[in-house]
């Protein structure tokens, strides 16, 4: 078992260079130091480790078994050291960021995303606009928002996909579905992406329907759903509490896929890039479809 004092990083760097290049000359050239310095570094490293780590012959340099063990650990230590240097040398992000987010996202996952972002970048001030995806697209195109998290609208291929999933019918767990009666719908107002997709499916399936409740707020739609007023087409992943997904059955058609995307200016602002990365990380860690 190796017994050693703490080995300085510069000695580990020299040792790894010698091991990977197979020569003291090559290591000196790569590190920009003299060959005699490389020899001194290796000697000091072996003294610290208390073991011989390199076998020197006239033809090549080879690692001893202890050297192989040390090489594996040295690589891990140097990688961690580089990561720490990058973190400490990076200037903290500052400024104001204008975020637009789909109403569905604001009342479900957004608190987790904001908490993760704020922990890492406490000096960035955030301004939030919640709303319908189409309205957020327009605000982004008008330069009023820096980053938007929205449902992808038809024909617009911008942005990075966070996830996609089938739209589902959401309502009170004991909502009575009457096959011959018009389906009572709880909908966002136009130009809601989910509304347009759901109504198109209902029209093509021949299922009668009526708009029983309209609200631009998910809080309002959720209240109506919990009251048993009707059903709403919604993201199952972002479903408000107290509601259930109703399985497709007679008179309740299967709804199409919907895709959530994040759209920004594309690598021009570190704060925007950081928030975008946080959203994408949440999307992936929470089980992207």
């Amino acid at each position: 078992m190796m017994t050693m004092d703490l080995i300085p990083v510069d000695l580990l760097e020299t040792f790894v260079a010698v091991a990977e290049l197979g020569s003291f000359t090559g290591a000196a050239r790569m590190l920009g130091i003299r060959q005699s310095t490389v020899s001194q570094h290796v000697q000091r490293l072996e003294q610290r480790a208390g073991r011989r780590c390199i076998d020197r012959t006239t033809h090549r340099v080879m690692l001893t078994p202890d050297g192989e063990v040390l090489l594996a650990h040295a690589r891990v230590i140097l990688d961690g050291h580089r990561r720490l240097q990058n973190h400490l040398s990076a200037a903290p992000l500052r400024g104001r960021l204008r975020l637009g987010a789909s109403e569905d996202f604001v009342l479900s996952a957004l608190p987790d995303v904001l908490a993760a972002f704020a922990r890492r970048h406490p000096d960035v001030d955030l301004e939030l606009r919640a709303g319908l995806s189409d309205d957020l697209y327009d605000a982004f195109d008008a330069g009023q928002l820096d980053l938007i998290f929205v449902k992808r609208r038809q024909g617009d291929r911008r942005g990075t996909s966070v996830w996609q999933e089938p739209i589902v019918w959401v309502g009170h767990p004991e909502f009575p579905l009457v096959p011959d009666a018009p389906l009572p719908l709880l909908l966002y107002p136009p130009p809601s992406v989910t509304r347009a997709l759901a109504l198109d499916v209902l029209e093509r399936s021949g299922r009668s329907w009526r708009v029983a409740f309209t609200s631009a707020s998910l809080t309002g739609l959720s209240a109506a759903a919990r009251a048993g007023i009707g059903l709403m087409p919604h993201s199952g992943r972002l479903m408000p509490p107290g509601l259930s997904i109703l399985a497709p059955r007679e008179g309740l058609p299967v709804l199409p896929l919907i895709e959530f995307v994040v759209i920004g200016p594309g690598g021009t602002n570190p704060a925007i890039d950081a928030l975008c990365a946080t959203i994408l990380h949440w999307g992936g860690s929470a089980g992207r479809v």
Side-chain angles (χ1 to χ4, degrees), residues 57 132 171 234:
T57 68
L132 300 179
H234 199 267

Side-chain angles (χ1 to χ4, degrees), residues 78-148:
L78 292 176
D79 181 66
H81 185 260
R82 281 190 291 269
R83 291 174 181 271
L84 179 59
Q85 279 187 319
N86 290 339
H87 174 76
L88 294 177
S89 63
L93 299 182
R94 302 181 186 277
R96 175 172 294 274
L97 197 160
R98 301 168 300 171
L99 170 66
S102 168
E103 183 78 18
D104 304 352
F105 187 63
V106 169
L107 295 182
S108 54
L110 185 63
D112 293 335
V113 171
L114 292 181
F117 181 78
R119 280 195 301 270
R120 298 195 64 182
H121 309 292
D123 295 327
V124 176
D125 299 326
L126 291 170
E127 178 183 323
L128 174 68
R129 180 189 299 189
L132 300 179
S133 292
D134 263 285
D135 294 337
L136 297 175
Y137 269 101
D138 292 342
F140 178 79
D141 290 337
Q144 299 169 2
L145 295 170
D146 302 309
L147 185 74
I148 56 174

